[in-house]
């Protein structure tokens, strides 16, 4: 490892140039992107494709020149690694959750009812997704250039088939289909050299996000073998989520007596105002000026000023999925994720309360070194239950599966408010667990021999 390959801080030296850019770079704003799934029908063709993709795949930190800031990432499902001919001993060294795949873990993470794999969009959950390519850029022309390089790599590889594609882009509003700014939080990761979005957050151990480094327990996270395959890799949960925007708007309207009350109720359920201003710092009204300040928009904790959730309810979406220092059962630092939400589909026109039949939502990417105690724990315990905050059975009001029977508690004085009969505002269209290897590991995969 050369000096140029490492980025060190607090005694941690991270081989940052070997880590795929898709793992650590915060999503650009604005952004354009594309997800492509591939099926490998012939392992030799699959390995040949990887050799062509190696020069296209990016590693390291963001470019200082935003016009050059685009990257392609290459990840694999368990079935994909098997299709490439990875030795069984190595396949067996991956954690159980990854080997089983997201569809097999659906009940555990709350993908039931209309969210169940039986209703997923093909090829999610079929076992045919082997390689997941993603490309993101802040510049449409630069993205096209990177995609063209990837397309050329795919040419003349008859043993590998493109089986799914999804374009994503930031909407003209700069917000999600629900109308809220997204992509605000990014963890402060020890030794990586990128600032976290919350200046009050103590750096989190590298091993929570990248394999081969100590995690918050002081130990190395379990890593697949051989070391060249596991080191500097990580796991990615990819999810396509349809958003029922009309149902969201109707529920807010039915439970409010004015436009102002409607906006406040939405903010209480999300934890932020549409601009991104957090309730913790602006509890009574939206504050676009605060939201535009990168040093203030995410600079808050919960325990000292709002432990009981009078500003930001404990059951709100952002507080559930990242409780920070709030009083909860368990240690929030053990369950941090890198979250990268991207929007697909057209927006529902402002003010429309009836669904127009268009498919819209987000393709979410959730990155961490521990699938079970990060992504799966957050889904099972924080999104789909409320035990950890003292509301057993109460789910995330935005991301939870409610089926018309959900509830959400909003602390108020003198009496708390409890809303009932929540419908589901999101529907899972599909998901996959992927392994995002380091660049040396990608080369190792490309050079496998029978």
């Amino acid at each position: 490892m050369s000096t140029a390959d490492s980025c060190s801080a607090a005694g941690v030296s991270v081989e940052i140039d070997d880590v795929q850019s898709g793992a650590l770079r915060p999503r650009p704003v604005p952004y354009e992107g594309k997800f492509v799934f591939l099926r490998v029908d012939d392992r030799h063709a699959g390995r040949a494709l990887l050799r062509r993709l190696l020069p296209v795949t990016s590693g390291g930190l963001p470019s200082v020149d935003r016009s050059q800031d685009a990257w392609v990432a290459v990840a694999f499902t368990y079935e994909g690694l098997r299709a490439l001919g990875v030795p069984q001993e190595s396949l067996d060294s991956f954690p159980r959750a990854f080997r089983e795949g997201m569809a097999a873990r659906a009940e555990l993470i709350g993908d039931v009812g209309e969210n169940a794999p039986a209703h997923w969009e093909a090829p999610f959950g079929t076992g045919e997704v082997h390689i997941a390519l993603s490309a993101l850029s802040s510049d449409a022309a630069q993205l096209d250039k990177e995609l063209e390089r990837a397309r050329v790599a795919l040419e003349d590889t008859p043993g590998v088939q493109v089986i799914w594609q999804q374009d994503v882009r930031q909407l003209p509003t700069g917000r999600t289909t629900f109308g809220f700014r997204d992509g605000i939080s990014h963890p402060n990761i020890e030794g990586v050299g990128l600032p976290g979005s919350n200046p009050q957050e103590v750096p989190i151990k590298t091993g929570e996000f990248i394999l081969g480094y100590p995690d918050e327990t002081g130990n190395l996270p379990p890593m697949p073998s051989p070391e060249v395959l596991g080191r500097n890799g990580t796991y990615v949960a990819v999810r396509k989520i349809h958003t029922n925007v009309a149902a969201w708007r109707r529920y807010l309207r039915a439970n409010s007596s004015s436009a102002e009350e409607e906006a406040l109720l939405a903010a209480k359920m999300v934890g932020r105002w549409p601009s991104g201003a957090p309730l913790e710092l602006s509890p009574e009204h939206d504050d676009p000026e605060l939201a535009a300040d990168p040093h203030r928009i995410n600079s808050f904790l919960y325990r000292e000023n709002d432990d009981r959730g009078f500003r930001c309810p404990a059951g709100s979406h952002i507080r559930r999925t990242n409780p920070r220092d709030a009083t909860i059962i368990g240690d929030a630092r053990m369950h941090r994720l890198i979250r990268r939400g991207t929007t697909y589909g057209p927006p529902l026109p402002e003010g429309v309360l009836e669904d127009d039949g268009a498919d819209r939502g987000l393709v979410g990417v959730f990155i961490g070194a521990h699938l079970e105690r990060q992504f799966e724990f957050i889904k099972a315990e924080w999104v789909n239950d409320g035990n950890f905050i003292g509301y057993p059975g109460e789910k995330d009001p935005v991301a939870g599966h409610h089926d018309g029977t959900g509830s959400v508690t909003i602390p108020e004085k003198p009496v708390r408010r409890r809303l009932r009969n929540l419908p589901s505002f999101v529907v899972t269209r599909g998901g996959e667990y992927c392994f995002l290897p380091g660049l040396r590991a990608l080369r190792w995969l490309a050079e496998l021999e029978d």
Side-chain angles (χ1 to χ4, degrees), residues 304-330:
E304 183 174 348
N305 299 317
D306 192 30
D307 204 32
R308 298 179 62 186
F310 286 112
R311 291 180 173 220
C312 182
S316 66
H317 175 64
I318 70 161
R319 190 159 170 168
R320 277 177 176 270
T321 52
N322 182 13
R324 304 185 185 217
D325 68 331
T327 302
I328 60 168
I329 299 173

Short mmCIF file of all heavy atoms in Angstrom, two decimals, residues 304-330:
data_model
loop_
_atom_site.label_atom_id
_atom_site.label_comp_id
_atom_site.label_asym_id
_atom_site.label_seq_id
_atom_site.Cartn_x
_atom_site.Cartn_y
_atom_site.Cartn_z
N GLU A 304 -30.39 16.23 25.10
CA GLU A 304 -30.35 17.38 26.01
C GLU A 304 -31.61 18.24 25.92
O GLU A 304 -32.18 18.64 26.93
CB GLU A 304 -29.12 18.24 25.71
CG GLU A 304 -28.98 19.42 26.67
CD GLU A 304 -27.68 20.17 26.45
OE1 GLU A 304 -26.79 19.65 25.74
OE2 GLU A 304 -27.55 21.28 26.99
N ASN A 305 -32.08 18.52 24.71
CA ASN A 305 -33.17 19.48 24.55
C ASN A 305 -34.52 18.86 24.20
O ASN A 305 -35.54 19.55 24.27
CB ASN A 305 -32.80 20.49 23.45
CG ASN A 305 -31.57 21.28 23.81
OD1 ASN A 305 -31.41 21.73 24.94
ND2 ASN A 305 -30.68 21.43 22.84
N ASP A 306 -34.52 17.58 23.81
CA ASP A 306 -35.80 17.04 23.30
C ASP A 306 -35.89 15.54 23.57
O ASP A 306 -36.36 14.80 22.71
CB ASP A 306 -35.89 17.32 21.80
CG ASP A 306 -37.28 17.07 21.24
OD1 ASP A 306 -38.27 17.23 21.99
OD2 ASP A 306 -37.39 16.68 20.07
N ASP A 307 -35.50 15.13 24.76
CA ASP A 307 -35.48 13.69 25.02
C ASP A 307 -36.88 13.09 24.94
O ASP A 307 -37.04 11.92 24.60
CB ASP A 307 -34.86 13.43 26.40
CG ASP A 307 -34.29 12.02 26.51
OD1 ASP A 307 -33.82 11.50 25.47
OD2 ASP A 307 -34.33 11.44 27.60
N ARG A 308 -37.92 13.88 25.26
CA ARG A 308 -39.30 13.35 25.25
C ARG A 308 -39.99 13.56 23.90
O ARG A 308 -41.14 13.21 23.74
CB ARG A 308 -40.11 13.98 26.39
CG ARG A 308 -39.53 13.65 27.78
CD ARG A 308 -40.32 14.28 28.89
NE ARG A 308 -41.70 13.78 28.93
CZ ARG A 308 -42.64 14.27 29.73
NH1 ARG A 308 -42.33 15.27 30.56
NH2 ARG A 308 -43.86 13.78 29.72
N GLY A 309 -39.30 14.18 22.96
CA GLY A 309 -39.83 14.27 21.60
C GLY A 309 -40.90 15.32 21.38
O GLY A 309 -41.70 15.18 20.45
N PHE A 310 -40.90 16.38 22.17
CA PHE A 310 -41.90 17.43 21.94
C PHE A 310 -41.61 18.21 20.66
O PHE A 310 -42.51 18.75 20.03
CB PHE A 310 -41.97 18.38 23.13
CG PHE A 310 -42.67 17.77 24.33
CD1 PHE A 310 -41.96 17.47 25.47
CD2 PHE A 310 -44.02 17.48 24.28
CE1 PHE A 310 -42.59 16.89 26.57
CE2 PHE A 310 -44.67 16.91 25.36
CZ PHE A 310 -43.95 16.60 26.51
N ARG A 311 -40.36 18.28 20.29
CA ARG A 311 -40.01 18.91 19.00
C ARG A 311 -40.09 17.87 17.88
O ARG A 311 -40.88 18.01 16.95
CB ARG A 311 -38.59 19.50 19.06
CG ARG A 311 -38.46 20.69 19.98
CD ARG A 311 -37.04 21.21 20.00
NE ARG A 311 -36.93 22.46 20.75
CZ ARG A 311 -36.20 23.49 20.40
NH1 ARG A 311 -35.47 23.41 19.31
NH2 ARG A 311 -36.17 24.57 21.13
N CYS A 312 -39.27 16.88 17.95
CA CYS A 312 -39.24 15.81 16.93
C CYS A 312 -39.68 14.51 17.58
O CYS A 312 -38.94 13.95 18.41
CB CYS A 312 -37.82 15.69 16.36
SG CYS A 312 -37.68 14.45 15.05
N PRO A 313 -40.88 14.02 17.27
CA PRO A 313 -41.38 12.81 17.93
C PRO A 313 -40.41 11.64 17.80
O PRO A 313 -39.79 11.44 16.75
CB PRO A 313 -42.69 12.52 17.19
CG PRO A 313 -43.12 13.85 16.66
CD PRO A 313 -41.85 14.57 16.30
N ALA A 314 -40.33 10.85 18.86
CA ALA A 314 -39.45 9.67 18.84
C ALA A 314 -39.84 8.70 17.72
O ALA A 314 -39.01 7.96 17.22
CB ALA A 314 -39.48 8.97 20.18
N GLY A 315 -41.12 8.74 17.33
CA GLY A 315 -41.58 7.83 16.29
C GLY A 315 -41.44 8.37 14.89
O GLY A 315 -41.81 7.68 13.92
N SER A 316 -40.93 9.57 14.72
CA SER A 316 -40.78 10.14 13.38
C SER A 316 -39.74 9.36 12.57
O SER A 316 -38.87 8.69 13.13
CB SER A 316 -40.37 11.61 13.46
OG SER A 316 -39.07 11.71 14.02
N HIS A 317 -39.82 9.49 11.26
CA HIS A 317 -38.97 8.68 10.38
C HIS A 317 -37.49 8.92 10.63
O HIS A 317 -36.73 7.96 10.81
CB HIS A 317 -39.32 9.00 8.92
CG HIS A 317 -38.43 8.32 7.93
ND1 HIS A 317 -38.38 6.95 7.78
CD2 HIS A 317 -37.51 8.83 7.05
CE1 HIS A 317 -37.51 6.64 6.86
NE2 HIS A 317 -36.96 7.75 6.40
N ILE A 318 -37.05 10.16 10.67
CA ILE A 318 -35.59 10.37 10.77
C ILE A 318 -35.06 10.03 12.15
O ILE A 318 -33.91 9.64 12.30
CB ILE A 318 -35.18 11.81 10.39
CG1 ILE A 318 -35.64 12.82 11.43
CG2 ILE A 318 -35.67 12.18 9.00
CD1 ILE A 318 -34.88 14.14 11.35
N ARG A 319 -35.91 10.17 13.18
CA ARG A 319 -35.43 9.86 14.54
C ARG A 319 -35.38 8.36 14.77
O ARG A 319 -34.52 7.85 15.48
CB ARG A 319 -36.31 10.56 15.57
CG ARG A 319 -35.75 10.49 16.98
CD ARG A 319 -36.33 11.58 17.87
NE ARG A 319 -35.97 11.36 19.27
CZ ARG A 319 -36.12 12.24 20.23
NH1 ARG A 319 -36.66 13.43 19.96
NH2 ARG A 319 -35.78 11.98 21.47
N ARG A 320 -36.32 7.64 14.18
CA ARG A 320 -36.28 6.18 14.27
C ARG A 320 -35.05 5.61 13.57
O ARG A 320 -34.39 4.71 14.10
CB ARG A 320 -37.52 5.59 13.58
CG ARG A 320 -38.77 5.54 14.39
CD ARG A 320 -39.89 5.01 13.55
NE ARG A 320 -41.12 4.85 14.31
CZ ARG A 320 -41.44 3.74 14.95
NH1 ARG A 320 -40.66 2.70 14.90
NH2 ARG A 320 -42.57 3.68 15.64
N THR A 321 -34.78 6.09 12.38
CA THR A 321 -33.73 5.46 11.57
C THR A 321 -32.32 5.94 11.94
O THR A 321 -31.34 5.34 11.53
CB THR A 321 -33.97 5.71 10.07
OG1 THR A 321 -34.16 7.11 9.85
CG2 THR A 321 -35.23 4.97 9.61
N ASN A 322 -32.24 7.02 12.72
CA ASN A 322 -30.95 7.47 13.25
C ASN A 322 -31.23 8.22 14.56
O ASN A 322 -31.30 9.44 14.59
CB ASN A 322 -30.23 8.38 12.26
CG ASN A 322 -28.87 8.83 12.78
OD1 ASN A 322 -28.35 8.28 13.77
ND2 ASN A 322 -28.28 9.83 12.14
N PRO A 323 -31.36 7.46 15.68
CA PRO A 323 -31.73 8.10 16.95
C PRO A 323 -30.64 8.97 17.55
O PRO A 323 -30.87 9.62 18.58
CB PRO A 323 -32.02 6.90 17.87
CG PRO A 323 -32.16 5.72 16.98
CD PRO A 323 -31.31 6.01 15.78
N ARG A 324 -29.46 8.98 16.96
CA ARG A 324 -28.33 9.79 17.45
C ARG A 324 -28.08 9.46 18.92
O ARG A 324 -27.89 8.32 19.26
CB ARG A 324 -28.61 11.28 17.18
CG ARG A 324 -28.89 11.54 15.70
CD ARG A 324 -29.05 12.98 15.34
NE ARG A 324 -29.44 13.07 13.91
CZ ARG A 324 -29.06 13.98 13.07
NH1 ARG A 324 -28.26 14.96 13.49
NH2 ARG A 324 -29.44 13.96 11.81
N ASP A 325 -28.18 10.48 19.80
CA ASP A 325 -27.89 10.24 21.22
C ASP A 325 -29.17 10.08 22.04
O ASP A 325 -29.12 10.12 23.27
CB ASP A 325 -27.08 11.40 21.79
CG ASP A 325 -27.88 12.68 21.87
OD1 ASP A 325 -28.81 12.85 21.03
OD2 ASP A 325 -27.63 13.50 22.76
N ALA A 326 -30.33 9.92 21.39
CA ALA A 326 -31.60 9.82 22.12
C ALA A 326 -31.59 8.63 23.06
O ALA A 326 -30.88 7.64 22.83
CB ALA A 326 -32.76 9.70 21.13
N THR A 327 -32.39 8.72 24.11
CA THR A 327 -32.52 7.62 25.06
C THR A 327 -33.34 6.51 24.41
O THR A 327 -34.54 6.65 24.20
CB THR A 327 -33.21 8.09 26.35
OG1 THR A 327 -32.44 9.16 26.92
CG2 THR A 327 -33.31 6.96 27.35
N ILE A 328 -32.68 5.41 24.10
CA ILE A 328 -33.35 4.27 23.48
C ILE A 328 -32.81 2.99 24.10
O ILE A 328 -31.82 3.01 24.83
CB ILE A 328 -33.10 4.20 21.95
CG1 ILE A 328 -31.60 4.06 21.66
CG2 ILE A 328 -33.69 5.40 21.24
CD1 ILE A 328 -31.28 3.69 20.23
N ILE A 329 -33.46 1.88 23.80
CA ILE A 329 -32.92 0.58 24.17
C ILE A 329 -31.85 0.24 23.13
O ILE A 329 -32.12 0.15 21.94
CB ILE A 329 -34.02 -0.49 24.17
CG1 ILE A 329 -35.10 -0.13 25.19
CG2 ILE A 329 -33.44 -1.86 24.45
CD1 ILE A 329 -36.31 -1.05 25.13
N GLY A 330 -30.61 0.07 23.59
CA GLY A 330 -29.53 -0.28 22.66
C GLY A 330 -28.62 0.90 22.37
O GLY A 330 -28.81 2.00 22.89
#
